[in-house]
Amino acid sequence: SVAGVVRSNLAAFDGLSGQVRSWHPDPPSGSLLPTVRSLTVADETLYVGGAFAALAGRPRALIGAFDLRTGALRNWAPDWRGDYVEGLAALGSRVYVAAQLTSPSRNLSAYDAQTGQAVAWFPTIVGAHELIGQDRTVYCATEGNGLVALDAESGHLAWAYRAPRGVPRNFLVRPPVIFAAGSFQTDAS
């Protein structure tokens, strides 16, 4: 429960009062603990990703979308297979997804923001866990590559910063600066 109101893994709060809102999209409970690990907003849509099989009583494999005006689950349901979605970013007409997979593989993909159809976007980065879309770039915090910047259209690597020790876990983009946080140390330069 959240503030005495029953919600599981996903809730909306009034920004002025802090009260839990009536929106109730709970992923169902089951043998595996469903979780929502990532949120992103584009226009009037809230995209959610995590480890769940349903949202608002309808099947959704690890990823789904809600209409922010009505709170209703959208028909947007990409055909995604993986262990869980760890990061989401919406940019232009695409939603970018970082997921954890059981086998070493490319863990970044892109989907059309309206239809949910996969978009040809094939970056060679693995281990991405946090995403931010800004201008024409998708920024990623990754396990093996540190911070990277990818072209939002092609997926080509624009630049990468590998911390000599540790891993950036979270970051913010406020052009022209990127702020990073985590358990890492930069070079002395």
Side-chain angles (χ1 to χ4, degrees):
S1 79
V2 179
V5 178
V6 177
R7 295 291 183 269
S8 296
N9 306 305
L10 190 58
F13 296 85
D14 183 284
L16 297 176
S17 70
Q19 296 295 311
V20 178
R21 303 204 55 181
S22 62
W23 184 60
H24 198 258
D26 292 339
S29 297
S31 59
L32 296 175
L33 179 63
T35 60
V36 175
R37 299 176 72 96
S38 186
L39 305 170
T40 194
V41 173
D43 299 321
E44 292 297 321
T45 302
L46 170 68
Y47 298 93
V48 300
F52 49 81
L55 290 170
R58 292 174 49 200
R60 289 294 183 272
L62 312 178
I63 190 168
F66 292 92
D67 184 307
L68 286 175
R69 291 175 297 241
T70 66
L73 184 68
R74 291 189 178 241
N75 289 330
W76 191 81
D79 182 20
W80 177 255
R81 289 175 180 73
D83 292 342
Y84 57 88
V85 170
E86 194 162 14
L88 294 171
L91 182 61
S93 63
R94 295 180 178 182
V95 176
Y96 299 88
V97 178
Q100 293 301 313
L101 307 171
T102 358
S103 61
S105 177
R106 179 180 60 82
N107 76 322
L108 290 171
S109 57
Y111 297 91
D112 183 280
Q114 295 300 313
T115 66
Q117 295 297 311
V119 175
W121 189 70
F122 304 108
T124 56
I125 302 301
V126 295
H129 52 83
E130 181 77 22
L131 302 176
I132 295 177
Q134 181 78 38
D135 298 323
R136 293 182 303 268
T137 305
V138 176
Y139 298 95
C140 307
T142 72
E143 294 298 326
N145 297 298
L147 289 175
V148 299
L150 302 167
D151 181 273
E153 285 296 314
S154 68
H156 292 130
L157 181 67
W159 58 260
Y161 174 78
R162 182 175 296 202
R165 288 173 294 287
V167 177
R169 300 303 294 163
N170 199 343
F171 66 101
L172 294 171
V173 177
R174 182 161 181 170
V177 178
I178 298 172
F179 299 92
S183 57
F184 68 93
Q185 184 173 349
T186 63
D187 290 327
S189 59

